[in-house]
Amino acid sequence: MDFQKYQQEYIVQGSDKPAPAKAFDTDATRVEQRFFQMSLAKQNRREAWDGMQRLYYCNDWQWIVNGDDFNAPIRFPTLRDITMALTDKYMEDLPEAVLLPHFDEDKHLITAKKAYIEYIQRQPQYKKVRRMAIQDMFMAGDGFLRVGYFHIKKKLGGAEEPETLYRDVGISYVSYRDVFVDESATTLHDPQGEMGARDIIIRRLMPYSRFVEEIAPREGFNTAGVMSEAFIQTIGVDYLVTNSREIMEKAPVQMVKLYEYENVETDEYIVVANGHTIFKGSLKKHRGVKGFDLINYKFEPRNDSFWSNCLGELLAPHIYAKDQIFNLELMNLKLSLQPVLAVSGDFGYNPRVHVLQPGGIWTAGSKLQGKVADNIAPIVTGK
């Protein structure tokens, strides 16, 4: 994919002439270039993620609609059962943070902070998003949660001024498909700065109406000139992991694609919406942290890559072997109880005509000598 060509051939909606190159928006160009480079480093993991989806949703909806098919192998939700069992176990673990006072007079502050942390952890939102991140950890190898101070405003009932809906420390779920990390990093956070990431990008896709209500009212954001696009057009060169169902359900929706760029070396926080820079400021000031506002759950870390191995990569050979053995036994049982009837003759086996299935009959291609009943015999396979 030629990124520069993609930039120059960006077509204005409703016009047959290409728009001028957006070189004047240097921040947007730089963020999109970083996204392109991070996406290439992530490409080899997408094949494994696609395989895990097929292994997790093994039978999908075809069995419900079409029912049993003799030639179709039966698959069992082994990966799903193991993932759910491990997720339940991980949700029962101890708190992740331990607070200790430096001085005796700080004990009351530590008590208050512990109580506040426990209050947040008891919230339904925290439990829900944490469970989603843990499931991603097993499915894709990495799960992500976003933590920080959130101030959400929205206009309700036609009010002129937006009303505050949420203003507190909170936590939110981020899909592993929407996190893009510095291609030279092997870990997200590193206080020594040797293996940690320099910058990251968090992608968000939202309907245009939500963009207007949620993003536009934020202080310091300039959303003028941002146009909505159809879902398929919006994903562009995003390497978004999609399937036919996702495209079918979202194609008519008018979307806005956001890139939230965070750089810990330069203390930058830049938000790009459909190729337009709508905010640029300090990461520490806007997000309230010196580093990235992400928590990364890892299943089996790798020393040579940021992206970890997932559970399915370890279990796939066992799952396939178990399912294959069961299907061979099932096929043998079906053919033993309802063997194929073959009429003897000088005909050759043709898989298009002589279907190997329970109760099937192969007919001869020439005239038979004697009684037909004397020339019919069952073929029991798998013995």
Side-chain angles (χ1 to χ4, degrees):
M1 179 64 68
D2 190 343
F3 179 78
Q4 296 297 335
K5 184 178 180 180
Y6 161 73
Q7 286 286 336
Q8 296 173 1
E9 294 182 355
Y10 187 89
I11 304 301
V12 178
Q13 186 175 4
S15 174
D16 57 352
K17 297 181 180 180
K22 297 181 290 183
F24 63 91
D25 196 341
T26 56
D27 292 323
T29 302
R30 178 162 57 94
V31 170
E32 291 179 347
Q33 180 68 54
R34 290 296 298 135
F35 175 85
F36 181 76
Q37 295 169 347
M38 296 176 187
S39 296
L40 292 180
K42 190 178 178 182
Q43 183 64 23
N44 63 337
R45 295 304 302 159
R46 291 185 176 85
E47 297 180 1
W49 293 342
D50 289 344
M52 293 310 100
Q53 292 290 326
R54 292 190 294 268
L55 198 61
Y56 188 87
Y57 302 104
C58 51
N59 294 327
D60 204 5
W61 53 268
Q62 296 182 3
W63 283 88
I64 302 176
V65 177
N66 301 327
D68 185 18
D69 186 358
F70 171 74
N71 296 323
I74 295 177
R75 298 292 311 284
F76 296 93
T78 306
L79 180 60
R80 177 192 176 278
D81 296 339
I82 297 177
T83 300
M84 289 299 179
L86 290 175
T87 301
D88 293 338
K89 189 65 178 178
Y90 270 63
M91 289 294 292
E92 300 173 358
D93 61 1
L94 298 175
E96 300 175 354
V98 177
L99 303 179
L100 298 175
H102 287 286
F103 305 101
D104 292 339
E105 56 268 21
D106 294 335
K107 290 183 178 180
H108 64 287
L109 295 177
I110 296 299
T111 302
K113 289 183 178 180
K114 286 183 178 180
Y116 183 64
I117 292 176
E118 292 175 356
Y119 161 75
I120 294 178
Q121 292 178 339
R122 287 195 302 267
Q123 300 301 313
Q125 171 72 4
Y126 177 86
K127 295 181 180 179
K128 179 181 69 174
V129 299
R130 185 168 179 263
R131 184 179 184 87
M132 295 169 67
I134 292 176
Q135 287 180 343
D136 283 352
M137 178 183 67
F138 295 120
M139 286 291 297
D142 292 271
F144 296 93
L145 292 179
R146 198 172 194 183
V147 297
Y149 180 80
F150 295 86
H151 188 189
I152 302 176
K153 297 181 179 180
K154 187 177 181 180
K155 293 182 179 180
L156 300 175
E160 297 181 358
E161 297 295 330
E163 182 179 345
T164 298
L165 299 181
Y166 185 90
R167 187 173 185 177
D168 198 354
V169 174
I171 189 169
S172 61
Y173 165 77
V174 182
S175 172
Y176 59 89
R177 300 190 304 177
D178 296 325
V179 175
F180 299 83
V181 182
D182 175 15
E183 64 277 13
S184 65
T186 56
T187 184
L188 187 62
H189 303 280
D190 183 10
Q192 296 178 339
E194 297 178 355
M195 299 181 296
R198 301 166 298 171
D199 52 358
I200 64 173
I201 291 177
I202 300 176
R203 177 185 57 193
R204 296 181 62 188
L205 288 172
M206 60 177 63
Y208 185 74
S209 59
R210 182 180 300 171
F211 172 79
V212 173
E213 296 178 356
E214 178 182 343
I215 305 299
R218 294 185 181 181
E219 184 178 356
F221 280 69
N222 181 15
T223 59
V226 178
M227 302 292 293
S228 62
E229 298 175 352
F231 172 72
I232 297 179
Q233 182 181 0
T234 302
I235 61 177
V237 293
D238 271 1
Y239 306 102
L240 183 63
V241 181
T242 58
N243 52 45
S244 58
R245 174 179 173 182
E246 188 172 2
I247 293 177
M248 179 178 62
E249 293 178 351
K250 292 185 178 179
V253 181
Q254 293 297 111
M255 307 287 284
V256 175
K257 175 178 54 184
L258 295 179
Y259 293 154
E260 296 187 57
Y261 178 74
E262 300 181 8
N263 192 316
V264 295
E265 289 186 346
T266 59
D267 189 30
E268 283 183 302
Y269 178 74
I270 302 175
V271 182
V272 176
N274 283 357
H276 297 268
T277 302
I278 61 176
F279 182 85
K280 180 180 180 180
S282 168
L283 174 63
K284 179 180 178 181
K285 180 180 179 181
H286 188 79
R287 299 300 303 175
V289 292
K290 294 182 180 179
F292 303 119
D293 53 346
L294 282 180
I295 297 176
N296 182 204
Y297 293 91
K298 286 185 173 293
F299 174 66
E300 190 180 66
R302 297 168 55 191
N303 295 330
D304 58 344
S305 172
F306 170 81
W307 301 102
S308 306
N309 293 325
C310 50
L311 179 63
E313 291 178 279
L314 305 178
L315 297 179
H318 305 281
I319 296 175
Y320 285 128
K322 177 181 66 67
D323 290 352
Q324 185 176 16
I325 292 175
F326 177 85
N327 280 278
L328 289 175
E329 294 178 350
L330 181 62
M331 183 179 297
N332 177 59
L333 179 63
K334 289 181 178 180
L335 292 174
S336 299
L337 297 178
Q338 291 182 294
V340 177
L341 298 179
V343 180
S344 62
D346 57 351
F347 68 96
Y349 171 70
N350 186 346
R352 295 184 178 180
V353 177
H354 310 124
V355 181
L356 182 64
Q357 64 182 12
I361 299 178
W362 299 357
T363 57
S366 61
K367 295 182 180 180
L368 300 176
Q369 300 297 327
K371 298 180 181 179
V372 176
D374 296 337
N375 294 277
I376 297 179
I379 297 179
V380 180
T381 63
K383 295 295 185 181

